[in-house]
Amino acid sequence: MKHSKHQLSYRINVLLKLNALLFSAKSFLFLVLHLFILAILNCSSPVFASSTTSSNSHNEHKMSSRLSSFLDAHDSMTPEMKEIAIQKIIDFNEDFKISPTNESKTLRRLFFAVQETFLKEYSLYSSFFQTIDSGKYDCLTGSILYAVLLEEIKQKGNFDYTYQLVQTPTHVFIKIKLSDENEMIFESTSLDNGFIATPKGINFYLNQQAKKAKEETQNGSIVLLDNQSLNNLVTLETASALLYFNQGVLFFNQRKFGKSLDMAKKALFFDKRDAFYDLASISSQELRKNNLITEK
């Protein structure tokens, strides 16, 4: 069978196209194989990134849960209000720059950064939400805010300091021990003199607080917390109880006895203290006196 020149040319063109396609397919396979090998060689990078992201997410979730508990002590708290307040603290924590090799410098900067960002106006019996939202604060809400951030900064900088929320009959402050055994005081109610880092200054401050506590215990007109010494420590787990208690005292002073009773009961949920029982008892007495509840 004879083939024309045209038919031969057509077959050659088809073979060339098939060869080109085969070459392209091989190139594609080689490319896929190359990328697969690179992925195997570099598989550790995505794992580390995922681990870090997971750790950050876990820490942020833990902080959000803790803050949520503190914010609940505010009367008429809504989910939207809570979300905005929590995000403000998360943003502050993310933006705060640490000095990894200088623990003392980092904490000094933290004290003043919190003062300038959040603590605007001292107002007795402020709620934690008011402190974050509008800058109204007292010794309790200011100290709790510092404690929350001290937890976060410690992890972020891999620092080795410890801190204590110290409670007196009518006051709360923070005492910090650095990794080199030096100490600091965070007195949230004073911008000018609240950061104390010299042994002489710390001793003077603690002596003043002890003297004040002794005087307060003799005043029967104020609602006192149980332990009158300076070694009565508050943990972040029990801090919610004090926030509820403070709000309960505020409502009692405003003669809103139903709300003060409710706050006292919520404080007792977190911690069992005589002062919380006392607030619940006198709130109930006032409600009965005004025929607002039955004896039962």
Short mmCIF file of all heavy atoms in Angstrom, two decimals, residues 142-206:
data_model
loop_
_atom_site.label_atom_id
_atom_site.label_comp_id
_atom_site.label_asym_id
_atom_site.label_seq_id
_atom_site.Cartn_x
_atom_site.Cartn_y
_atom_site.Cartn_z
N GLY A 142 -7.73 46.78 90.19
CA GLY A 142 -6.41 47.10 89.65
C GLY A 142 -5.41 45.98 89.91
O GLY A 142 -4.64 45.60 89.02
N SER A 143 -5.43 45.44 91.11
CA SER A 143 -4.49 44.37 91.46
C SER A 143 -4.79 43.09 90.68
O SER A 143 -3.87 42.38 90.24
CB SER A 143 -4.54 44.08 92.96
OG SER A 143 -4.09 45.19 93.70
N ILE A 144 -6.06 42.77 90.50
CA ILE A 144 -6.43 41.57 89.74
C ILE A 144 -5.98 41.72 88.29
O ILE A 144 -5.47 40.76 87.68
CB ILE A 144 -7.93 41.30 89.84
CG1 ILE A 144 -8.29 40.83 91.25
CG2 ILE A 144 -8.37 40.26 88.80
CD1 ILE A 144 -9.78 40.61 91.47
N LEU A 145 -6.14 42.90 87.73
CA LEU A 145 -5.69 43.12 86.35
C LEU A 145 -4.19 42.92 86.24
O LEU A 145 -3.69 42.27 85.31
CB LEU A 145 -6.07 44.53 85.89
CG LEU A 145 -5.60 44.93 84.49
CD1 LEU A 145 -6.12 43.96 83.44
CD2 LEU A 145 -6.03 46.36 84.16
N TYR A 146 -3.44 43.46 87.20
CA TYR A 146 -2.00 43.24 87.20
C TYR A 146 -1.67 41.75 87.31
O TYR A 146 -0.77 41.25 86.62
CB TYR A 146 -1.35 43.99 88.37
CG TYR A 146 -1.00 45.42 88.07
CD1 TYR A 146 -1.52 46.47 88.82
CD2 TYR A 146 -0.12 45.74 87.03
CE1 TYR A 146 -1.19 47.78 88.55
CE2 TYR A 146 0.21 47.05 86.75
CZ TYR A 146 -0.33 48.07 87.51
OH TYR A 146 0.01 49.38 87.22
N ALA A 147 -2.39 41.04 88.17
CA ALA A 147 -2.11 39.61 88.37
C ALA A 147 -2.34 38.81 87.09
O ALA A 147 -1.55 37.93 86.74
CB ALA A 147 -2.97 39.07 89.50
N VAL A 148 -3.41 39.13 86.38
CA VAL A 148 -3.70 38.44 85.11
C VAL A 148 -2.55 38.64 84.13
O VAL A 148 -2.08 37.70 83.48
CB VAL A 148 -5.02 38.97 84.50
CG1 VAL A 148 -5.18 38.47 83.07
CG2 VAL A 148 -6.21 38.51 85.34
N LEU A 149 -2.09 39.87 84.02
CA LEU A 149 -1.03 40.17 83.06
C LEU A 149 0.33 39.65 83.53
O LEU A 149 1.17 39.26 82.71
CB LEU A 149 -0.97 41.68 82.81
CG LEU A 149 -2.20 42.21 82.06
CD1 LEU A 149 -2.24 43.73 82.08
CD2 LEU A 149 -2.22 41.70 80.62
N LEU A 150 0.55 39.60 84.84
CA LEU A 150 1.79 39.00 85.35
C LEU A 150 1.87 37.53 84.96
O LEU A 150 2.95 37.02 84.65
CB LEU A 150 1.86 39.16 86.87
CG LEU A 150 2.27 40.54 87.39
CD1 LEU A 150 2.03 40.64 88.90
CD2 LEU A 150 3.73 40.84 87.07
N GLU A 151 0.73 36.84 84.99
CA GLU A 151 0.69 35.44 84.55
C GLU A 151 1.10 35.33 83.08
O GLU A 151 1.90 34.46 82.71
CB GLU A 151 -0.72 34.88 84.73
CG GLU A 151 -1.09 34.55 86.15
CD GLU A 151 -0.46 33.26 86.64
OE1 GLU A 151 -0.15 32.40 85.80
OE2 GLU A 151 -0.27 33.11 87.86
N GLU A 152 0.53 36.18 82.25
CA GLU A 152 0.79 36.12 80.81
C GLU A 152 2.23 36.50 80.47
O GLU A 152 2.89 35.85 79.66
CB GLU A 152 -0.19 37.03 80.06
CG GLU A 152 -1.64 36.67 80.24
CD GLU A 152 -1.94 35.24 79.83
OE1 GLU A 152 -1.48 34.82 78.76
OE2 GLU A 152 -2.63 34.54 80.59
N ILE A 153 2.73 37.58 81.08
CA ILE A 153 4.08 38.05 80.81
C ILE A 153 5.11 37.03 81.27
O ILE A 153 6.15 36.83 80.64
CB ILE A 153 4.34 39.41 81.48
CG1 ILE A 153 3.36 40.47 80.96
CG2 ILE A 153 5.78 39.86 81.28
CD1 ILE A 153 3.36 40.64 79.46
N LYS A 154 4.83 36.36 82.37
CA LYS A 154 5.75 35.34 82.88
C LYS A 154 5.94 34.22 81.86
O LYS A 154 7.06 33.76 81.62
CB LYS A 154 5.20 34.77 84.19
CG LYS A 154 6.13 33.75 84.85
CD LYS A 154 5.59 33.31 86.20
CE LYS A 154 6.57 32.36 86.89
NZ LYS A 154 6.07 31.96 88.24
N GLN A 155 4.85 33.78 81.24
CA GLN A 155 4.94 32.74 80.23
C GLN A 155 5.60 33.25 78.95
O GLN A 155 6.44 32.58 78.35
CB GLN A 155 3.54 32.21 79.91
CG GLN A 155 2.89 31.48 81.08
CD GLN A 155 1.51 30.94 80.73
OE1 GLN A 155 1.22 30.65 79.58
NE2 GLN A 155 0.66 30.84 81.73
N LYS A 156 5.22 34.45 78.55
CA LYS A 156 5.75 35.02 77.31
C LYS A 156 7.27 35.20 77.38
O LYS A 156 7.98 34.93 76.42
CB LYS A 156 5.08 36.36 77.02
CG LYS A 156 5.45 36.94 75.66
CD LYS A 156 4.95 38.38 75.51
CE LYS A 156 3.46 38.48 75.49
NZ LYS A 156 2.98 39.85 75.15
N GLY A 157 7.77 35.66 78.53
CA GLY A 157 9.20 35.92 78.67
C GLY A 157 9.97 34.78 79.29
O GLY A 157 11.19 34.88 79.47
N ASN A 158 9.24 33.68 79.63
CA ASN A 158 9.88 32.55 80.31
C ASN A 158 10.62 33.02 81.56
O ASN A 158 11.74 32.59 81.85
CB ASN A 158 10.84 31.81 79.36
CG ASN A 158 11.21 30.43 79.86
OD1 ASN A 158 10.45 29.80 80.60
ND2 ASN A 158 12.39 29.96 79.50
N PHE A 159 9.96 33.92 82.31
CA PHE A 159 10.56 34.46 83.53
C PHE A 159 10.31 33.53 84.72
O PHE A 159 9.46 32.64 84.66
CB PHE A 159 9.98 35.85 83.83
CG PHE A 159 10.34 36.89 82.80
CD1 PHE A 159 9.35 37.68 82.23
CD2 PHE A 159 11.65 37.07 82.41
CE1 PHE A 159 9.67 38.65 81.28
CE2 PHE A 159 11.98 38.04 81.46
CZ PHE A 159 10.99 38.82 80.89
N ASP A 160 11.04 33.78 85.81
CA ASP A 160 10.95 32.89 86.97
C ASP A 160 10.51 33.63 88.23
O ASP A 160 10.75 33.18 89.34
CB ASP A 160 12.32 32.23 87.21
CG ASP A 160 12.21 31.01 88.10
OD1 ASP A 160 11.17 30.34 88.05
OD2 ASP A 160 13.15 30.75 88.87
N TYR A 161 9.85 34.80 88.07
CA TYR A 161 9.39 35.53 89.24
C TYR A 161 8.11 34.88 89.80
O TYR A 161 7.42 34.11 89.12
CB TYR A 161 9.12 37.00 88.92
CG TYR A 161 8.08 37.26 87.85
CD1 TYR A 161 6.71 37.14 88.12
CD2 TYR A 161 8.45 37.65 86.56
CE1 TYR A 161 5.76 37.40 87.16
CE2 TYR A 161 7.50 37.90 85.58
CZ TYR A 161 6.16 37.78 85.88
OH TYR A 161 5.21 38.02 84.93
N THR A 162 7.82 35.18 91.06
CA THR A 162 6.56 34.78 91.67
C THR A 162 5.88 36.03 92.21
O THR A 162 6.53 37.06 92.46
CB THR A 162 6.78 33.79 92.84
OG1 THR A 162 7.63 34.40 93.83
CG2 THR A 162 7.43 32.51 92.34
N TYR A 163 4.57 35.97 92.37
CA TYR A 163 3.85 37.14 92.88
C TYR A 163 2.75 36.69 93.82
O TYR A 163 2.32 35.53 93.80
CB TYR A 163 3.26 37.96 91.72
CG TYR A 163 2.10 37.28 91.04
CD1 TYR A 163 0.79 37.50 91.49
CD2 TYR A 163 2.29 36.41 90.00
CE1 TYR A 163 -0.27 36.86 90.90
CE2 TYR A 163 1.25 35.76 89.40
CZ TYR A 163 -0.04 35.99 89.84
OH TYR A 163 -1.11 35.34 89.26
N GLN A 164 2.30 37.61 94.65
CA GLN A 164 1.22 37.34 95.60
C GLN A 164 0.24 38.50 95.60
O GLN A 164 0.64 39.67 95.60
CB GLN A 164 1.78 37.18 97.02
CG GLN A 164 2.72 36.00 97.19
CD GLN A 164 3.38 35.99 98.55
OE1 GLN A 164 3.60 37.05 99.15
NE2 GLN A 164 3.71 34.81 99.05
N LEU A 165 -1.04 38.17 95.56
CA LEU A 165 -2.09 39.15 95.81
C LEU A 165 -2.29 39.19 97.33
O LEU A 165 -2.81 38.23 97.91
CB LEU A 165 -3.39 38.73 95.12
CG LEU A 165 -3.56 39.09 93.65
CD1 LEU A 165 -4.66 38.24 93.03
CD2 LEU A 165 -3.92 40.56 93.50
N VAL A 166 -1.85 40.26 97.95
CA VAL A 166 -1.90 40.35 99.42
C VAL A 166 -3.14 41.14 99.84
O VAL A 166 -3.40 42.23 99.33
CB VAL A 166 -0.64 41.03 99.98
CG1 VAL A 166 -0.67 41.03 101.50
CG2 VAL A 166 0.61 40.32 99.47
N GLN A 167 -3.89 40.58 100.77
CA GLN A 167 -5.15 41.18 101.22
C GLN A 167 -5.06 41.61 102.67
O GLN A 167 -4.63 40.85 103.54
CB GLN A 167 -6.26 40.16 101.06
CG GLN A 167 -7.58 40.55 101.67
CD GLN A 167 -8.42 39.33 101.94
OE1 GLN A 167 -8.57 38.46 101.10
NE2 GLN A 167 -8.96 39.25 103.15
N THR A 168 -5.43 42.85 102.93
CA THR A 168 -5.59 43.35 104.30
C THR A 168 -7.10 43.54 104.51
O THR A 168 -7.89 43.27 103.61
CB THR A 168 -4.84 44.67 104.49
OG1 THR A 168 -5.54 45.71 103.79
CG2 THR A 168 -3.41 44.58 103.97
N PRO A 169 -7.54 44.01 105.68
CA PRO A 169 -8.98 44.17 105.89
C PRO A 169 -9.69 45.00 104.83
O PRO A 169 -10.82 44.70 104.45
CB PRO A 169 -9.05 44.84 107.27
CG PRO A 169 -7.85 44.34 107.97
CD PRO A 169 -6.78 44.24 106.92
N THR A 170 -9.04 46.06 104.35
CA THR A 170 -9.72 46.92 103.37
C THR A 170 -8.84 47.25 102.16
O THR A 170 -9.11 48.24 101.46
CB THR A 170 -10.16 48.25 104.03
OG1 THR A 170 -8.99 48.90 104.56
CG2 THR A 170 -11.15 48.00 105.15
N HIS A 171 -7.84 46.46 101.91
CA HIS A 171 -6.93 46.79 100.81
C HIS A 171 -6.35 45.53 100.19
O HIS A 171 -6.28 44.48 100.84
CB HIS A 171 -5.80 47.70 101.32
CG HIS A 171 -4.99 48.32 100.24
ND1 HIS A 171 -5.54 49.04 99.20
CD2 HIS A 171 -3.64 48.33 100.00
CE1 HIS A 171 -4.59 49.48 98.40
NE2 HIS A 171 -3.43 49.06 98.86
N VAL A 172 -5.96 45.66 98.92
CA VAL A 172 -5.28 44.57 98.20
C VAL A 172 -4.14 45.18 97.39
O VAL A 172 -4.30 46.22 96.76
CB VAL A 172 -6.25 43.83 97.24
CG1 VAL A 172 -5.51 42.77 96.44
CG2 VAL A 172 -7.38 43.17 98.03
N PHE A 173 -2.98 44.54 97.42
CA PHE A 173 -1.85 44.97 96.61
C PHE A 173 -1.07 43.74 96.17
O PHE A 173 -1.38 42.61 96.56
CB PHE A 173 -0.94 45.95 97.38
CG PHE A 173 -0.32 45.37 98.63
CD1 PHE A 173 0.93 44.75 98.59
CD2 PHE A 173 -0.98 45.45 99.86
CE1 PHE A 173 1.50 44.22 99.75
CE2 PHE A 173 -0.40 44.93 101.01
CZ PHE A 173 0.83 44.31 100.96
N ILE A 174 -0.05 43.95 95.35
CA ILE A 174 0.73 42.83 94.81
C ILE A 174 2.18 42.92 95.27
O ILE A 174 2.81 43.99 95.19
CB ILE A 174 0.69 42.80 93.27
CG1 ILE A 174 -0.72 42.40 92.81
CG2 ILE A 174 1.70 41.83 92.69
CD1 ILE A 174 -0.86 42.22 91.32
N LYS A 175 2.68 41.80 95.73
CA LYS A 175 4.09 41.68 96.12
C LYS A 175 4.75 40.67 95.18
O LYS A 175 4.24 39.56 94.99
CB LYS A 175 4.19 41.21 97.57
CG LYS A 175 5.61 41.16 98.11
CD LYS A 175 5.60 40.71 99.57
CE LYS A 175 7.01 40.64 100.13
NZ LYS A 175 7.01 40.15 101.54
N ILE A 176 5.89 41.05 94.61
CA ILE A 176 6.56 40.22 93.61
C ILE A 176 7.97 39.87 94.09
O ILE A 176 8.68 40.73 94.61
CB ILE A 176 6.66 40.96 92.26
CG1 ILE A 176 5.28 41.41 91.78
CG2 ILE A 176 7.33 40.09 91.20
CD1 ILE A 176 5.31 42.34 90.59
N LYS A 177 8.35 38.62 93.90
CA LYS A 177 9.73 38.21 94.17
C LYS A 177 10.37 37.82 92.84
O LYS A 177 9.89 36.91 92.15
CB LYS A 177 9.80 37.04 95.15
CG LYS A 177 11.23 36.54 95.40
CD LYS A 177 11.29 35.48 96.49
CE LYS A 177 11.16 36.10 97.86
NZ LYS A 177 11.44 35.11 98.95
N LEU A 178 11.44 38.51 92.48
CA LEU A 178 12.13 38.25 91.22
C LEU A 178 13.01 37.00 91.33
O LEU A 178 13.25 36.48 92.42
CB LEU A 178 12.98 39.45 90.82
CG LEU A 178 12.24 40.80 90.72
CD1 LEU A 178 13.21 41.89 90.33
CD2 LEU A 178 11.10 40.72 89.73
N SER A 179 13.47 36.54 90.19
CA SER A 179 14.31 35.34 90.17
C SER A 179 15.63 35.56 90.90
O SER A 179 16.25 34.60 91.37
CB SER A 179 14.59 34.91 88.72
OG SER A 179 15.17 35.99 87.99
N ASP A 180 16.07 36.82 91.03
CA ASP A 180 17.32 37.11 91.76
C ASP A 180 17.06 37.41 93.24
O ASP A 180 17.93 37.94 93.94
CB ASP A 180 18.07 38.28 91.11
CG ASP A 180 17.26 39.57 91.11
OD1 ASP A 180 16.16 39.58 91.71
OD2 ASP A 180 17.71 40.57 90.53
N GLU A 181 15.84 37.11 93.71
CA GLU A 181 15.43 37.27 95.11
C GLU A 181 15.11 38.72 95.49
O GLU A 181 14.69 38.98 96.62
CB GLU A 181 16.49 36.72 96.09
CG GLU A 181 16.75 35.23 95.94
CD GLU A 181 15.52 34.38 96.21
OE1 GLU A 181 14.85 34.63 97.21
OE2 GLU A 181 15.23 33.49 95.39
N ASN A 182 15.31 39.67 94.59
CA ASN A 182 14.86 41.04 94.87
C ASN A 182 13.33 41.08 94.84
O ASN A 182 12.69 40.19 94.26
CB ASN A 182 15.44 42.02 93.85
CG ASN A 182 16.91 42.29 94.10
OD1 ASN A 182 17.33 42.44 95.25
ND2 ASN A 182 17.70 42.37 93.04
N GLU A 183 12.75 42.13 95.44
CA GLU A 183 11.29 42.21 95.53
C GLU A 183 10.77 43.52 94.94
O GLU A 183 11.52 44.48 94.78
CB GLU A 183 10.84 42.08 96.98
CG GLU A 183 11.11 40.70 97.58
CD GLU A 183 10.60 40.58 99.00
OE1 GLU A 183 10.53 41.62 99.70
OE2 GLU A 183 10.26 39.46 99.41
N MET A 184 9.47 43.51 94.63
CA MET A 184 8.77 44.69 94.14
C MET A 184 7.38 44.72 94.76
O MET A 184 6.83 43.69 95.13
CB MET A 184 8.61 44.64 92.61
CG MET A 184 9.84 44.81 91.80
SD MET A 184 9.42 44.68 90.03
CE MET A 184 11.03 45.04 89.31
N ILE A 185 6.84 45.92 94.84
CA ILE A 185 5.44 46.11 95.22
C ILE A 185 4.73 46.80 94.06
O ILE A 185 5.24 47.78 93.50
CB ILE A 185 5.30 46.98 96.49
CG1 ILE A 185 5.92 46.28 97.70
CG2 ILE A 185 3.83 47.32 96.76
CD1 ILE A 185 5.17 45.07 98.18
N PHE A 186 3.56 46.29 93.69
CA PHE A 186 2.67 46.98 92.75
C PHE A 186 1.49 47.50 93.57
O PHE A 186 0.64 46.74 94.00
CB PHE A 186 2.14 46.03 91.67
CG PHE A 186 3.06 45.81 90.51
CD1 PHE A 186 4.40 46.17 90.55
CD2 PHE A 186 2.59 45.23 89.34
CE1 PHE A 186 5.25 45.96 89.48
CE2 PHE A 186 3.42 45.01 88.25
CZ PHE A 186 4.76 45.38 88.31
N GLU A 187 1.47 48.81 93.82
CA GLU A 187 0.35 49.46 94.49
C GLU A 187 -0.48 50.14 93.40
O GLU A 187 -0.12 51.22 92.92
CB GLU A 187 0.87 50.46 95.52
CG GLU A 187 -0.17 51.38 96.11
CD GLU A 187 -1.35 50.66 96.69
OE1 GLU A 187 -1.20 50.03 97.76
OE2 GLU A 187 -2.44 50.72 96.07
N SER A 188 -1.58 49.51 93.02
CA SER A 188 -2.32 49.95 91.85
C SER A 188 -2.97 51.32 92.01
O SER A 188 -3.27 51.99 91.01
CB SER A 188 -3.40 48.92 91.49
OG SER A 188 -4.35 48.81 92.53
N THR A 189 -3.19 51.75 93.25
CA THR A 189 -3.92 53.00 93.46
C THR A 189 -3.03 54.24 93.41
O THR A 189 -3.51 55.35 93.63
CB THR A 189 -4.65 52.98 94.82
OG1 THR A 189 -3.69 52.88 95.88
CG2 THR A 189 -5.61 51.81 94.89
N SER A 190 -1.75 54.07 93.11
CA SER A 190 -0.84 55.22 93.05
C SER A 190 0.05 55.12 91.82
O SER A 190 0.84 54.19 91.70
CB SER A 190 0.02 55.29 94.31
OG SER A 190 0.97 56.33 94.21
N LEU A 191 -0.07 56.09 90.93
CA LEU A 191 0.79 56.11 89.75
C LEU A 191 2.19 56.59 90.10
O LEU A 191 3.19 55.99 89.68
CB LEU A 191 0.19 57.02 88.67
CG LEU A 191 1.07 57.29 87.44
CD1 LEU A 191 1.39 55.99 86.72
CD2 LEU A 191 0.40 58.28 86.49
N ASP A 192 2.29 57.64 90.91
CA ASP A 192 3.59 58.24 91.20
C ASP A 192 4.43 57.39 92.16
O ASP A 192 5.64 57.30 92.01
CB ASP A 192 3.39 59.64 91.80
CG ASP A 192 2.74 60.59 90.81
OD1 ASP A 192 2.95 60.41 89.60
OD2 ASP A 192 1.99 61.49 91.25
N ASN A 193 3.78 56.78 93.15
CA ASN A 193 4.53 56.05 94.18
C ASN A 193 4.15 54.57 94.26
O ASN A 193 4.51 53.89 95.22
CB ASN A 193 4.30 56.70 95.55
CG ASN A 193 4.70 58.16 95.56
OD1 ASN A 193 5.81 58.51 95.18
ND2 ASN A 193 3.79 59.03 95.99
N GLY A 194 3.41 54.08 93.28
CA GLY A 194 2.90 52.72 93.35
C GLY A 194 3.89 51.64 92.98
O GLY A 194 3.72 50.48 93.36
N PHE A 195 4.93 52.00 92.23
CA PHE A 195 5.96 51.02 91.88
C PHE A 195 7.10 51.17 92.88
O PHE A 195 7.80 52.17 92.92
CB PHE A 195 6.48 51.27 90.46
CG PHE A 195 7.58 50.33 90.05
CD1 PHE A 195 7.28 49.04 89.63
CD2 PHE A 195 8.91 50.72 90.09
CE1 PHE A 195 8.29 48.16 89.25
CE2 PHE A 195 9.93 49.86 89.72
CZ PHE A 195 9.61 48.57 89.30
N ILE A 196 7.26 50.15 93.74
CA ILE A 196 8.25 50.21 94.81
C ILE A 196 9.24 49.06 94.63
O ILE A 196 8.83 47.89 94.61
CB ILE A 196 7.58 50.10 96.20
CG1 ILE A 196 6.43 51.12 96.30
CG2 ILE A 196 8.58 50.32 97.31
CD1 ILE A 196 5.57 50.95 97.53
N ALA A 197 10.52 49.38 94.48
CA ALA A 197 11.49 48.34 94.16
C ALA A 197 12.75 48.40 95.00
O ALA A 197 13.72 47.69 94.72
CB ALA A 197 11.86 48.41 92.68
N THR A 198 12.76 49.24 96.04
CA THR A 198 13.93 49.29 96.93
C THR A 198 13.59 48.63 98.26
O THR A 198 12.44 48.73 98.73
CB THR A 198 14.36 50.75 97.20
OG1 THR A 198 13.32 51.43 97.91
CG2 THR A 198 14.64 51.47 95.88
N PRO A 199 14.53 47.94 98.89
CA PRO A 199 14.25 47.29 100.19
C PRO A 199 13.70 48.27 101.22
O PRO A 199 12.76 47.94 101.97
CB PRO A 199 15.62 46.75 100.60
CG PRO A 199 16.35 46.52 99.31
CD PRO A 199 15.90 47.65 98.41
N LYS A 200 14.26 49.46 101.27
CA LYS A 200 13.80 50.46 102.23
C LYS A 200 12.35 50.86 101.95
O LYS A 200 11.52 50.97 102.86
CB LYS A 200 14.71 51.69 102.18
CG LYS A 200 14.36 52.76 103.20
CD LYS A 200 15.35 53.93 103.12
CE LYS A 200 14.99 55.01 104.15
NZ LYS A 200 15.95 56.14 104.08
N GLY A 201 12.06 51.11 100.69
CA GLY A 201 10.70 51.50 100.31
C GLY A 201 9.69 50.40 100.58
O GLY A 201 8.57 50.67 101.03
N ILE A 202 10.08 49.15 100.30
CA ILE A 202 9.18 48.02 100.53
C ILE A 202 8.90 47.84 102.02
O ILE A 202 7.74 47.64 102.42
CB ILE A 202 9.77 46.73 99.92
CG1 ILE A 202 9.76 46.84 98.38
CG2 ILE A 202 9.00 45.49 100.38
CD1 ILE A 202 10.50 45.73 97.68
N ASN A 203 9.93 47.91 102.86
CA ASN A 203 9.75 47.76 104.30
C ASN A 203 8.84 48.85 104.86
O ASN A 203 7.96 48.59 105.70
CB ASN A 203 11.10 47.79 105.01
CG ASN A 203 11.89 46.52 104.81
OD1 ASN A 203 11.32 45.45 104.56
ND2 ASN A 203 13.21 46.61 104.89
N PHE A 204 9.04 50.08 104.40
CA PHE A 204 8.21 51.20 104.86
C PHE A 204 6.75 50.97 104.46
O PHE A 204 5.83 51.15 105.27
CB PHE A 204 8.72 52.51 104.27
CG PHE A 204 7.88 53.70 104.64
CD1 PHE A 204 8.01 54.30 105.89
CD2 PHE A 204 6.96 54.21 103.74
CE1 PHE A 204 7.23 55.40 106.23
CE2 PHE A 204 6.16 55.31 104.08
CZ PHE A 204 6.30 55.90 105.33
N TYR A 205 6.55 50.56 103.21
CA TYR A 205 5.18 50.33 102.71
C TYR A 205 4.48 49.22 103.51
O TYR A 205 3.33 49.38 103.94
CB TYR A 205 5.22 49.96 101.23
CG TYR A 205 3.87 49.60 100.65
CD1 TYR A 205 3.00 50.60 100.20
CD2 TYR A 205 3.45 48.28 100.57
CE1 TYR A 205 1.76 50.28 99.69
CE2 TYR A 205 2.21 47.95 100.05
CZ TYR A 205 1.37 48.95 99.61
OH TYR A 205 0.13 48.63 99.10
N LEU A 206 5.16 48.09 103.73
CA LEU A 206 4.56 46.97 104.45
C LEU A 206 4.25 47.34 105.90
O LEU A 206 3.22 46.93 106.45
CB LEU A 206 5.47 45.75 104.39
CG LEU A 206 5.67 45.13 103.00
CD1 LEU A 206 6.64 43.95 103.07
CD2 LEU A 206 4.34 44.69 102.41
#
